[in-house]
Amino acid sequence: MIDGGAIPTLPRGVRVHFDRVRDTWVLLAPERTVTLDGIGHAILSEVDGARSFDQITTTLAEKYQAPHAQIAKDSAAFLKTLADRRFLDLTEAHG
Amino acid sequence: MTPTPVTSPPPPIAMLAELTHRCPLSCPYCSNPAQMARIDAELDTDTWARVFREAADLGVLQLHLSGGEPASRRDLTQLIHAARGAGLYTNLITSGIGLTERRLREMDEAGLDHIQLSLQGTTPEMADEIGGYRGGFDRKMMVAGWIKEIGFPLTLNAVLHRKNLHQLPRALEIAQEMGARRIEVATVQFHGWALKNRDALMPTREQNREATRIVLEARERLKGTLVIDYVPADYHEEYPKRCMGGWGQAGLNVAPDGQVLPCHAAQTIPHLRFENVRDSALHHIWYDSAAFNAYRGTDWMPEPCASCDRKLKDFGGCRCQAMALLGDPNATDPVCVKSPHHIDLQARADAHAAADAPLVYRPQPPKVSEPAE
Ligand code: SF4
Ligand code: SF4
């Protein structure tokens, strides 16, 4: 799981990009490309380097009318995989 | 389950732009071809910029600016700017030699996404002997300091072989000290100049096993801190590598003079003719040229590949390796256990590993065309 107060951030050199040739969203990272499905893209669209994991999953739960626990579980799994590959930083909440 | 044959090729994801074959270093395993592109035949800035736009239109997402040493091009910053302008993720593959703090800051402004820095050894003695360039290691460390200060995402590319495989643990530490997110532990692949240096560089079977052990242990220990990509010594493996993600499946190389190659060693295959970006559109070259279609998919395959369930996994291995080792680019890569030549290759690998020879360094490319005979 990811700590609710942790702030996910895309580090320098990792960015979301629309691949116009394949008509899909992708995550571009150093020498790697990850194709994003709708859910992955929705989660990363909320990652702004300011809001905490809790705030992000609350927003997603409201937007997609889904149970918060489920959204939190799916998002954590997805973000954790990215963090393990160093495509995402999880910074501790301030204060 | 029978794998479905590849019908229409997918668009390429990656393009390697070999901007020049010039390089201050002369690594004895350099992948540049024996016949290097002349300096006066290199594509100019505007042509490269056009090629970058054509690549992006074709579906390329990742651009690797390579060489030789790309920093040997005076217009490198402009080329980075052009690549980012085309929407490409732009990676610089460099030894660091030729980069200054000022140039790096300009490249930062131009939008460079990532740097891959090569490491020839973990001590000045080793690195400078292998690179054939005195002072190269110290200079590289300075460059790494600027890279870290500016904040470029960094991958350290440690090239390992019999002479320096024992330095692998230190290479992992250096990567962390440099603030790299990723290290590529690349055992030398025997193409290009490395073929001439097999007696000097071939790792022993034992070294290969030890490196694999160190990598697996470090991957656990450094999870979430340092990502470790590992290329093992290929002659000692059981199955060949999926070279370039498959011939004409994922990537293309543009040589300094504009020839477009399915992989950097493709020019060693005598029957292939390569088209040039000066005369043909990249789209045409990728989808319709003879060279890209020669070994694309699975139709060209002989046995044992044709009826093998791994054929879409490794596409029969490396064509250039089959050429170099068997003189036949259509053969199954002899690294494969199913190849009738596998046993023989294992014996040859052990013989190379037990031998020794002085290093044969890579020379500089010729400046201008040779006068006609
Ligand atoms: S392998 Fe060595 S000689 Fe070849 S381009 Fe790289 S740094 Fe230069
Ligand atoms: S037989 Fe061919 S396809 Fe099968 S594993 Fe060996 S090289 Fe790959």
Side-chain angles (χ1 to χ4, degrees), chain A residues 11-15 17-22 26-33 83-87 89, chain B residues 11-12 57 59 61-62 84 87 89 91 108 113-114 116 150-153 181-182 223-225 227 229:
Chain A
R12 179 170 172 174
V14 181
R15 58 173 191 267
H17 174 86
F18 185 70
D19 178 349
R20 59 189 157 92
V21 173
R22 296 170 191 80
V26 293
L27 187 67
L28 295 178
E31 300 175 50
R32 293 285 181 275
T33 304
D84 283 346
R85 299 178 73 184
R86 299 280 339 247
F87 298 167
D89 287 343
Chain B
D57 288 343
L61 298 171
Q62 299 263 356
R84 280 307 308 271
Y89 188 98
N91 172 30
D108 183 22
D113 284 297
H114 173 253
Q116 189 196 102
I150 295 171
F152 283 116
R181 291 184 206 160
R182 183 166 151 257
K223 196 168 179 185
T225 309
V227 175
D229 285 332

Side-chain angles (χ1 to χ4, degrees), chain B residues 67-78:
Chain B
E69 173 51 61
S72 297
R73 292 267 315 205
R74 290 236 197 93
D75 57 355
L76 181 57
T77 303
Q78 280 164 274

Side-chain angles (χ1 to χ4, degrees), chain B residues 90-110:
Chain B
T90 308
N91 172 30
L92 177 67
I93 299 180
T94 178
S95 68
I97 308 303
L99 293 175
T100 59
E101 181 173 9
R102 185 167 152 199
R103 279 189 99 184
L104 282 163
R105 293 202 182 275
E106 287 166 0
M107 291 176 194
D108 183 22
E109 267 170 43

Side-chain angles (χ1 to χ4, degrees), chain B residues 239-240 301 304-305 308-312 314-317 332-333 336-339:
Chain B
Y239 289 107
M301 283 181 180
C305 297
C308 177
D309 60 4
R310 289 176 63 98
K311 67 179 173 185
L312 287 179
D314 61 31
F315 287 102
T332 293
D333 188 329
C336 183
V337 277
K338 296 186 183 178
S339 160

